[in-house]
């Protein structure tokens, strides 16, 4: 992620809204737990082993309250509904061979140590954010008239929690779904005896409910009821919409600036966020001023609704806080001392495989956020990910008296024993407000190439704090479904640090949104026409990899318009039609 893109802090109003909804969500799961312990989930013992998961839609509460914020087109409400799973786990594998191929989703049934794959209907699942149109919601006013309806995708990984005391203590499935447009493979699942939050509605279309009282009826779409044998339960929830509070003096701007709609994923996607699905909160998502996440808003991975506020999640942001709302973990620890002896990389040791994704979230900005006013800039998001089979592990050791560290890449055998190391450049301290952490240099570079790919404009982004912001392909060998450092605070160190460890795990990528000063391309004076955004992983080839031939990705863009009013057109990249 780019450290620069990782940065953002939330306003006090954001914190209040987030804390309020998080507390409500935490209480909601607690209610589900008590409900789940009742008869519907107890089940009589049977002699035959179950052959499919038993799913139900339940409501954790019969009433919720949300607020209508000034300047917002509607309300964002968590209805407290969950999908419970019993008998055997619910599990899916979602893949695509390439960006020229459609997404294929399979339900995985494990019996007697063997896995059986049942392919879902073609075209049902189109991306990696979850099961589209799973949840159907109808809102009626006090007179019983339907005033709004909505549909939402369901991410089985979202806000999962145990509903039975005999359920597994922890879930081995990932904690969110990916909404990075260039994701290649995902794993979704809910353990038996667990439930996952299914309150997500379409956050790009907030529900236009004036202040007042409503009744929401929630159900699972018929195609999913038929597919998975889900009963046609239709919980009803009383919804109270309150007017803006007196301290909402920013006209809703705090919510837009401080919270991101998760469409991910980074520094959600996360430098730009991580990739990911289904942030559940009553505050509004970020505006589309500079793109989906705002000027430098991290793309958020799924907000684990029931886990957000456990005394650790106080705000979003880069620096002493964190970026993904999940938790503030202790920093990763570097080796106790610099490596000694002869540097070397054994021939057959597992290594990472860094790969670039094509750019997305592409937009023209006009000199705001610190760039030179009156100029035209081309901004974008970019991701470099690790296809494995080994994690990228880099330690930095400080040059005493300097804001500079010597960096070393480490290598491990199949048993996790360190078997080699090699010097790999430096880490530097970035003292700028909103950064204030250590950047690893030469991880990636960005260039804007002419149509014939000869002339170029370079981005000033050269140093990075590594974090696992997006799940790019959790089906590759040795993919880590529970990466540790998913936000900057767990990865990048304090100014006083003598050493720092930064890791990019197998299957995960680090997204940076290039909207900050010096990172976006200055296209002032460039003629209209075709160009290519080039994303290069490991540009100086200092990092040891299994393959150096997949480090470059191109995304075609077409500049138009006039000076001060430039436009950008972004053709589809194979089947990926996102700007």
């Amino acid at each position: 992620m780019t450290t620069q893109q990782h940065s953002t802090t939330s306003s006090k109003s954001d914190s209040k809204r987030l804390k309020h909804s998080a507390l409500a969500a935490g209480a909601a799961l607690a209610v589900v737990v008590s409900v789940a312990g009742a008869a519907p989930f107890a089940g009589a013992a049977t002699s035959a082993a179950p052959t499919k998961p038993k799913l139900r839609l339940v409501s954790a509460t019969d009433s919720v309250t949300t607020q209508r914020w000034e300047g917002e087109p509607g309300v964002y409400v968590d209805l407290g509904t969950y999908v419970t799973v019993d008998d055997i786990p619910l599990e899916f594998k979602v893949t695509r061979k390439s960006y020229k191929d459609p997404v294929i989703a399979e339900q995985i049934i494990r019996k007697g140590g063997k896995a059986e794959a049942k392919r879902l209907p073609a075209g049902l699942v189109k991306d990696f954010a979850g099961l589209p149109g799973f949840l159907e919601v109808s809102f009626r006013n006090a007179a019983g008239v339907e005033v709004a309806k909505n549909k939402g995708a369901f991410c089985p990984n979202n806000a999962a929690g145990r509903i039975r005391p005999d359920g597994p203590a922890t879930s081995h499935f990932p904690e969110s779904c990916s909404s990075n447009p260039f994701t290649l493979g995902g794993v979704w699942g809910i353990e038996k005896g667990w439930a996952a939050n299914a309150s997500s509605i379409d956050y790009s279309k907030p529900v236009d409910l004036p202040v007042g009282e409503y009744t929401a009826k929630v159900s699972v779409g018929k195609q999913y009821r038929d597919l998975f044998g889900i009963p046609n339960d239709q919980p009803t929830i009383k919804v109270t919409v309150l007017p803006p509070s007196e301290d909402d003096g920013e006209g809703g701007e705090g919510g837009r600036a401080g919270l991101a709609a998760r469409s991910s994923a980074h520094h959600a996607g996360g430098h730009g966020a991580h990739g990911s699905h289904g942030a559940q909160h009553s505050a509004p998502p970020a505006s589309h001023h500079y793109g989906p996440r705002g000027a430098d808003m991290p793309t958020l991975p799924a907000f684990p609704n029931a886990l957000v506020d456990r005394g650790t999640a106080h705000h979003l942001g880069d620096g002493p806080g964190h970026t993904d709302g999940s938790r503030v973990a202790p920093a990763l620890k570097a080796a106790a001392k610099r490596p000694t002896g002869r540097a070397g990389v054994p021939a057959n040791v597992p290594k990472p495989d860094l790969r670039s994704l094509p750019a997305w979230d592409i937009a023209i900005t006009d000199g705001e956020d610190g760039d030179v006013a009156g100029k035209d800039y081309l901004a974008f998001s970019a991701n470099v990910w690790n296809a494995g089979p080994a994690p990228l592990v880099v330690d930095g050791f400080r040059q005493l008296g300097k804001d500079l560290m010597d960096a070393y890449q480490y290598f491990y055998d199949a048993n996790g024993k360190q078997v080699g190391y090699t010097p790999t450049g430096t880490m530097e301290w970035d003292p700028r407000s909103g950064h204030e952490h250590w950047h690893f240099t030469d991880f990636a570079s960005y260039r804007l190439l002419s149509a014939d790919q000869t002339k170029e404009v370079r981005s000033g982004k050269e140093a990075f704090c590594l974090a696992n912001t997006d799940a790019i392909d959790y089906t590759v060998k040795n993919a880590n479904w529970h990466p540790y450092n998913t936000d900057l605070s767990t990865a990048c160190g304090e100014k006083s640090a003598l050493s720092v460890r930064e890791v990019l795990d197998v299957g995960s990528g680090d997204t940076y949104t290039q909207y900050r000063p010096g990172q976006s391309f200055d296209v002032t004076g460039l003629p209209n026409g075709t160009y290519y955004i080039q994303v290069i992983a490991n540009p100086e080839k200092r990092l040891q990899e299994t393959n150096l031939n997949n480090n470059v990705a191109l995304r075609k863009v077409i500049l138009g318009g006039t000076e001060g009013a430039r436009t950008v057109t972004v053709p589809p990249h194979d089947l990926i039609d996102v700007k």
Side-chain angles (χ1 to χ4, degrees):
M1 344 165 152
T2 86
T3 317
Q4 303 158 324
Q5 294 313 149
H6 294 241
S7 56
T8 202
T9 55
S10 61
S11 65
K12 292 181 180 178
S13 60
D14 291 338
S15 301
K16 290 179 180 178
R17 299 176 199 175
L18 185 57
K19 185 176 181 180
H20 175 78
S21 68
L23 287 170
L29 186 57
V31 174
V32 169
V33 171
S34 64
V35 170
F41 306 102
T46 59
S47 56
T51 58
K52 63 181 181 179
K54 179 181 178 181
L55 310 182
R56 281 193 60 187
L57 177 68
V58 301
S59 175
T61 180
D62 60 3
S63 64
V64 297
T65 299
T66 188
Q67 219 157 4
R68 182 82 187 231
W69 300 102
E70 292 289 346
E72 294 299 332
V75 295
Y76 305 82
V77 57
D78 182 341
L79 295 171
T81 51
Y82 291 78
V83 171
T84 66
V85 175
D86 236 316
D87 289 350
I88 66 173
L90 177 67
E91 180 178 351
F92 300 96
K93 179 180 178 182
V94 190
T95 59
R96 60 178 161 212
K97 293 180 180 179
S98 73
Y99 300 129
K100 296 180 181 180
D101 298 290
V103 172
I104 294 174
E106 298 174 314
Q107 183 180 1
I108 307 300
I109 305 293
R110 301 185 184 276
K111 296 182 291 185
K114 296 182 179 180
E116 174 185 311
K118 176 185 177 182
R119 184 170 293 190
L120 302 191
L124 178 62
V125 175
K126 299 177 176 61
D127 56 29
F128 297 86
L131 299 168
F134 182 90
L135 199 70
E136 297 180 350
V137 186
S138 171
F139 295 89
R140 294 183 180 272
N141 62 18
V145 178
E146 185 178 69
V147 294
K149 58 183 178 180
N150 209 312
K151 290 187 177 182
F154 171 53
C155 170
N157 298 343
N158 188 46
R162 186 163 52 171
I163 60 172
R164 294 172 54 112
D166 59 346
T170 59
S171 172
H172 81 288
F173 293 112
E175 295 178 0
S176 64
C177 298
S178 176
S179 61
N180 186 304
F182 292 99
T183 299
L184 289 164
V187 176
W188 307 335
I190 309 172
E191 299 282 6
K192 71 173 181 178
W194 280 56
N197 189 292
S199 293
S200 178
I201 57 179
D202 190 343
Y203 277 92
S204 67
K205 300 175 182 177
V207 184
D208 187 8
L209 298 177
V211 173
E213 303 283 343
Y214 302 89
T215 299
K217 178 179 286 187
V218 187
S219 61
V220 174
K222 185 177 185 305
Q223 60 183 340
Y224 293 109
R225 297 200 309 269
D226 294 344
L227 188 61
F228 302 125
I230 305 174
N232 189 20
D233 297 319
Q234 299 184 25
T236 58
I237 300 102
K238 178 183 176 182
V239 178
T240 302
V241 180
L242 301 177
S245 59
E246 293 182 1
D247 62 352
D248 183 31
E250 299 171 298
E253 291 299 323
R256 287 193 293 273
L259 291 176
R262 177 51 228 172
S263 46
S264 41
H266 176 270
H267 289 207
H271 309 302
H274 312 294
S276 289
H277 167 81
Q280 317 272 343
H281 47 70
S282 59
S287 68
H288 203 311
H289 187 51
Y290 298 99
R293 289 175 295 283
D296 63 347
M297 182 60 203
T299 302
L300 301 177
F303 248 4
N305 220 31
L307 307 178
V308 153
D309 198 323
R310 294 288 177 86
T312 58
H314 301 300
H315 68 279
L316 304 178
D318 185 17
H322 55 120
T323 59
D324 69 357
S326 60
R327 76 274 189 272
V328 177
L332 294 168
K333 291 185 178 180
K337 59 183 179 180
R338 289 175 183 259
T340 57
R342 177 174 295 184
V345 184
N348 297 321
V349 70
K351 300 183 186 70
D353 180 11
L354 301 181
R355 302 182 183 183
S356 297
L357 298 182
W360 77 98
D361 190 15
I362 300 167
I364 294 289
T365 65
D366 59 0
E368 298 183 55
D369 194 37
D371 282 321
V372 179
K375 287 195 171 187
D376 298 311
Y377 295 89
L378 181 66
F380 60 99
S381 292
N383 182 292
V384 171
W385 72 288
N386 181 7
L392 172 65
V393 180
V394 179
D395 280 358
F397 296 92
R398 192 167 192 151
Q399 298 178 14
L400 296 184
K402 298 181 180 179
D403 288 341
L404 194 69
M405 291 188 180
D406 298 316
Y408 300 86
Q409 181 181 359
Y410 288 88
F411 306 93
Y412 304 84
D413 63 17
N415 297 319
K417 178 183 177 182
Q418 181 186 319
V419 293
Y421 78 93
T422 185
T424 184
T426 60
M427 293 183 185
E428 60 186 21
W429 174 256
D430 189 334
R432 292 172 296 172
S433 177
H435 299 278
E436 300 175 309
H437 45 216
W438 292 89
H439 287 179
F440 173 51
T441 57
D442 297 320
F443 175 70
S445 66
Y446 313 118
R447 300 167 190 176
L448 181 65
L449 305 180
S450 57
D452 61 3
Q453 301 184 28
T454 56
K455 300 176 183 178
E456 64 181 38
V457 175
R458 293 202 179 199
S459 165
K461 180 61 182 173
E462 296 176 344
F464 301 79
C465 170
L466 304 185
N468 303 291
T469 64
D470 295 51
I472 302 301
D473 193 346
Y474 275 5
T475 68
V476 297
K477 181 180 179 181
N478 294 338
N480 182 2
W481 295 355
H482 295 275
Y484 182 82
N485 56 315
T486 57
D487 61 71
L488 295 189
S489 68
T490 67
C492 307
E494 302 292 338
K495 184 176 182 179
S496 60
L498 289 175
S499 59
V500 169
R501 168 158 290 190
E502 298 187 9
V503 173
L504 189 62
D505 267 305
V506 178
S508 290
D510 191 357
T511 296
Y512 275 87
T513 53
Q514 310 304 317
Y515 280 79
R516 304 213 32 142
Q519 297 183 6
S520 53
F521 299 118
D522 183 353
V523 296
T524 308
L526 284 185
N528 290 340
T530 297
Y531 295 85
Y532 292 89
I533 297 175
Q534 183 186 55
V535 181
I536 309 173
N538 192 15
E540 303 301 325
K541 297 181 172 56
R542 289 176 176 164
L543 293 168
Q544 297 294 311
E545 300 187 56
T546 59
N547 186 355
L548 292 171
N549 296 322
N550 52 19
N551 289 19
V552 178
L554 297 173
R555 188 73 192 274
K556 183 178 181 179
V557 296
I558 302 171
L559 294 180
T562 59
E563 193 94 355
R566 300 301 293 271
T567 63
V568 60
T569 301
V570 185
H573 183 88
D574 296 328
L575 295 181
I576 312 301
D577 189 7
V578 296
K579 186 173 182 179

